[in-house]
Amino acid sequence: MDAGVTSEPIELRYRFDTRVLPAAMSGWWRSAVPPQKFVHRAVFWAVVWLGLLVLAGAIGQAGLSPAFVIAGILGAGVMVAAFAYLQRTRMRQFYRIVGAHWDRTGEISVRLDARGIEMRDDVSERRYAWAAIDAVHKAKGATVLRTGMSMIAIPDAALPEGLSASAFRARLKGWREL
């Protein structure tokens, strides 16, 4: 066993707070698809806007009104706004459905140690070896463990007294690397 990794298990008992779910889902997503650096995003959008300017210039050179470009941009903006509204509405519905599952689980009992993770609640029992955990990621108010398309979200509030969220994640990462 690595000198920096303790073999002492961590045992938790908690009810999942569904208010943590959006942050946990976001953490799951970021553990699989990390956000791009600002420079990459800035270059991408600079190229997009340069392309629009070139298109507007080409339309002007062809004798057509640049109003076509403006109308196109406004139309695209309306479509993006409509998509964003519908996506938000659908995500709220998604969180309600997933939250209903977590409401049925009752109290969750978790044991984490060098061998893996054991979880029990009122509707299921799960056991994971560390090889099944693809990532341990920080989320707002929780630690997210990604396992394929699934996630285990452990709220920071469930951690034992004296164990910080960052120390908890460090221990999990250490066990994962054994």
Side-chain angles (χ1 to χ4, degrees), residues 13-168:
R13 296 179 81 73
Y14 61 93
R15 285 183 158 306
F16 188 78
D17 182 354
T18 56
R19 292 175 295 187
V20 175
L21 191 56
M25 291 297 296
S26 180
W28 176 90
W29 175 256
R30 281 193 213 108
S31 76
V33 184
Q36 288 185 327
K37 293 182 179 175
F38 174 78
V39 172
H40 293 122
R41 292 189 320 260
V43 168
F44 171 79
W45 286 108
V47 168
V48 167
W49 284 106
L50 180 63
L52 289 171
L53 287 172
V54 168
L55 180 62
I59 287 174
Q61 292 296 318
L64 298 173
S65 169
F68 286 119
V69 174
I70 294 170
I73 291 171
L74 291 175
V78 167
M79 292 301 295
V80 167
F83 175 79
Y85 172 76
L86 293 172
Q87 183 67 15
R88 260 183 134 54
T89 303
R90 293 182 61 81
M91 287 308 291
R92 274 193 233 108
Q93 179 183 7
F94 174 77
Y95 293 141
R96 274 195 308 272
I97 291 168
V98 173
H101 166 79
W102 285 110
D103 290 341
R104 286 190 307 273
T105 62
E107 186 176 69
I108 301 167
S109 172
V110 181
R111 179 184 168 90
L112 305 106
D113 61 25
R115 291 175 302 170
I117 305 165
E118 292 178 21
M119 300 181 75
R120 287 184 176 80
D121 55 50
D122 291 348
V123 296
S124 64
E125 291 185 26
R126 298 169 302 281
R127 188 170 293 175
Y128 301 93
W130 286 111
I133 305 300
D134 300 317
V136 175
H137 196 77
K138 175 184 177 180
K140 184 178 178 184
T143 295
V144 175
L145 290 77
R146 180 172 46 86
T147 173
M149 287 295 294
S150 300
M151 74 165 179
I152 301 166
I154 300 176
D156 293 344
L159 298 178
E161 179 114 6
L163 181 60
S164 71
S166 59
F168 175 64

